[in-house]
Amino acid sequence: MKLPFRHLIFLVMTLISVIPISTLSLWSVNSALNNEFNMVHDKHLLLASNITKALNRYAVDALAIFTTVTNIGSEQVVDDELMQLLDVIDVVSVGVFDENGQRTAILFGPEASQPKSLTNPENPFNLSNLNHPHFTPIHKEGVVEPTLYMIRQTTDNRIWLATMHATYIEQLQSALVFGEKGHAAIVDKLGNVLAHPNKQWQAEAKNISKISIVQQMMAGETGVSQFYSPAVKADMIAGFDVVPTTGWGVMIPQPIAELEQRAFDVIQFTLLVGIISLVVCSLFSWWIVGLITRPIDILTNKTRGLTDIGEDETPRLYRGFHTAEFAKLFDSFRQMALEIRSGREELEYRVANRTADLAKAQAQALHLAHHDAVTGLANRMAIRNKIADLLQQQKYFSLLFIDLDGFKKVNDKYGHGVGDKLLKSLAERVNKHLFIDDILARYGGDEFIVLMPNIESIEPAKCAAEKVLQLLRKPVQIDNHSISISACIGLAIAKGEDKDTDSLIHRADTAMYNAKHQGKNQVCMYT
């Protein structure tokens, strides 16, 4: 796509102005949202902490009154003052049970509010660790409606049970409402709802322990967290805390959408300022670009007739407003046009020669990238690429991994020059006797690989390997030296079980090492 120079510079200058304007706008937007979230962190966590403290005071007072009542003994009568205190802490009734959990007396309140047995399978109570009075998790089975209890065992082995109403807890929860859907919710230490704006959940003491923030409260954590609320069906952010005495969890959630809505006014203003700034910068850029591009347009028109400029062309006469720099540019352009015309043929000649040199160099570089410099064979990278292609096509083929025996001794005795000639001679000898589609490659040092893409079974592959081994055994005449050398060959057949090139080469390499361990100068099949 071609753009006029004026449009291109205008776009560049506009983009340059967009960066700081966008950065400032995004910073303002993020700041507005961050301020809202920081306010939630401070306000919601403080509200959760205050409700937690109130519930903890309530729990401590309730347990203290319950302890006082249970200390008087089941034979005594609860006086009016204690009954008033029990009513204040929302106690419905107090029952006495023997150490086996069977009810023996009702100390206070209606009989129907007390279970007949604490070991009833429909409504069992945990009768361990009753030395200290405590609140039970809310009971939902075997009762008319979910019920909260206080329980304690005195030194005479009697068990005392207080049936509770959650009136005070519900009042604390319902007193806190903010925004459109901001609220408070209270759960027991097992995640059962004690108080919640969803009255159906509250009536059935719904267990919401699978919600992430409830799990954090059950673990005794406090802080601010985000979660999805199935009650509100929205992403929420909430401050939460735990009542130390009872393990109840208190959370103060609010939909994140409400926070984003409060920040929307700031965002709108920021975006409006950003758009106005961008428009002003764009108009100013268009005017500036015009000052630059008008002389360039003139110069462009001159370039169209560059080859027609004659030596006798008179210099340009300038009229109206212009810059000294562009005047010098036009004068230099005339002289440049004359020099370009005179040097064009020489330049074309040099370009043609240089292009030929570059093509030759490129061909040489491509050849070196895929061939070994000593033997002229395919190198490690080339053979690995070819093997990878065959594996990807799920072809069956054979692979020989060759390692020369005693090649280091040849280098040590005759020198590396003779060693290189030996490698080249052996490579040429083997290459002449391979099938047209077979590939012999130098894998590194004195290691070679023979890829036989058309041999898919063991017996033909073994025959080919033995033939290569015989070729390598024959003496080689180099610089008046007759050099004999042997090799170990590892054979592997690719039948689709190899996931990559390395696994197949590793199998052939392993087979080669087995050949060395079995006495060298032989072919070994990978098993």
Side-chain angles (χ1 to χ4, degrees), residues 10 17 45 64 95 105 188 242 264 270 288 293 320 351 370 387 393 397 433 468 499 506:
F10 170 72
S17 63
L45 189 56
D188 68 10
V242 178
F264 184 68
T270 301
I288 291 294
T293 56
V351 168
H370 293 86
I387 293 172
Q393 298 171 25
F397 60 93
H433 292 82
V468 171
K499 301 301 181 183
H506 176 72

Side-chain angles (χ1 to χ4, degrees), residues 205-492:
K206 184 177 180 64
N207 186 279
I208 56 174
S209 59
K210 291 185 179 180
I211 299 176
S212 60
I213 191 172
V214 178
Q215 293 176 356
Q216 289 179 272
M217 292 189 293
M218 291 167 61
E221 299 177 15
T222 181
V224 175
S225 181
Q226 297 185 30
F227 67 101
Y228 177 78
S229 170
V232 182
K233 292 181 173 54
D235 291 322
M236 311 286 280
I237 183 169
F240 62 95
D241 203 351
V242 178
V243 179
T245 301
T246 61
W248 299 339
V250 178
M251 58 177 170
I252 313 295
Q254 184 178 14
I256 294 177
E258 291 186 14
L259 305 182
E260 295 173 344
Q261 183 62 37
R262 286 209 299 264
F264 184 68
D265 292 339
V266 176
I267 295 173
Q268 272 189 318
F269 177 76
T270 301
L271 292 178
L272 179 61
V273 172
I275 292 172
I276 293 174
S277 301
L278 182 60
V279 170
V280 172
C281 289
S282 299
L283 293 175
F284 184 73
S285 299
W286 185 260
W287 179 71
I288 291 294
V289 168
L291 294 180
I292 299 174
T293 56
R294 276 192 296 272
I296 294 177
D297 289 337
I298 297 173
L299 189 61
T300 301
N301 292 330
K302 293 291 291 182
T303 59
R304 293 181 182 142
L306 183 62
T307 56
D308 299 328
I309 294 178
E311 296 182 359
D312 58 345
E313 183 177 340
T314 57
R316 174 182 173 81
L317 297 177
Y318 301 98
R319 296 181 179 85
F321 178 79
H322 65 276
T323 60
E325 289 79 6
F326 277 108
K328 292 180 181 178
L329 177 62
F330 284 124
D331 292 337
S332 299
F333 179 79
R334 177 179 176 277
Q335 184 63 33
M336 179 189 68
L338 297 174
E339 293 176 358
I340 288 175
R341 186 174 57 186
S342 64
R344 179 175 295 166
E345 292 182 359
E346 180 181 359
L347 179 61
E348 290 177 350
Y349 174 77
R350 292 181 178 180
V351 168
N353 288 340
R354 185 59 176 165
T355 301
D357 292 341
L358 288 175
K360 183 179 179 181
Q362 184 178 12
Q364 292 176 347
L366 185 61
H367 182 271
L368 290 175
H370 293 86
H371 292 80
D372 177 53
V374 175
T375 62
L377 300 175
N379 61 12
R380 183 190 189 99
M381 180 179 69
I383 194 66
R384 286 178 63 88
N385 290 340
K386 183 61 178 177
I387 293 172
D389 289 342
L390 293 176
L391 290 176
Q392 186 175 10
Q393 298 171 25
Q394 298 184 341
K395 293 290 187 67
Y396 284 21
F397 60 93
S398 302
L399 188 75
L400 304 182
F401 195 99
I402 305 170
D403 184 83
L404 301 181
D405 299 330
F407 180 73
K408 184 177 183 303
K409 294 180 181 180
V410 174
N411 277 337
D412 294 342
K413 183 175 180 180
Y414 301 108
H416 289 277
V418 173
D420 288 346
K421 292 178 181 179
L422 174 62
L423 292 176
K424 186 174 181 181
S425 297
L426 292 174
E428 291 175 350
R429 178 189 296 173
V430 172
N431 220 7
K432 290 178 181 178
H433 292 82
L434 294 178
F435 291 111
I436 189 169
D437 291 329
D438 295 346
I439 300 175
L440 175 63
R442 186 184 180 189
Y443 199 65
D446 59 347
E447 295 177 340
F448 295 84
I449 283 180
V450 178
L451 175 62
M452 298 179 290
N454 297 323
I455 297 180
E456 304 176 357
S457 56
I458 296 175
E459 292 304 323
K462 280 186 177 181
C463 292
E466 291 291 348
K467 181 179 179 182
V468 171
L469 188 62
Q470 292 176 4
L471 292 171
L472 294 174
R473 288 174 183 161
K474 294 180 180 180
V476 179
Q477 196 72 22
I478 299 175
D479 296 345
N480 298 323
H481 303 294
S482 179
I483 301 175
S484 296
I485 199 167
S486 63
C488 289
I489 301 178
L491 169 62

Side-chain angles (χ1 to χ4, degrees), residues 130-145:
L130 299 181
N131 294 332
H132 300 285
H134 62 270
F135 283 84
T136 68
I138 196 163
H139 282 239
K140 295 187 285 185
E141 302 295 335
V143 291
V144 177
E145 61 182 17

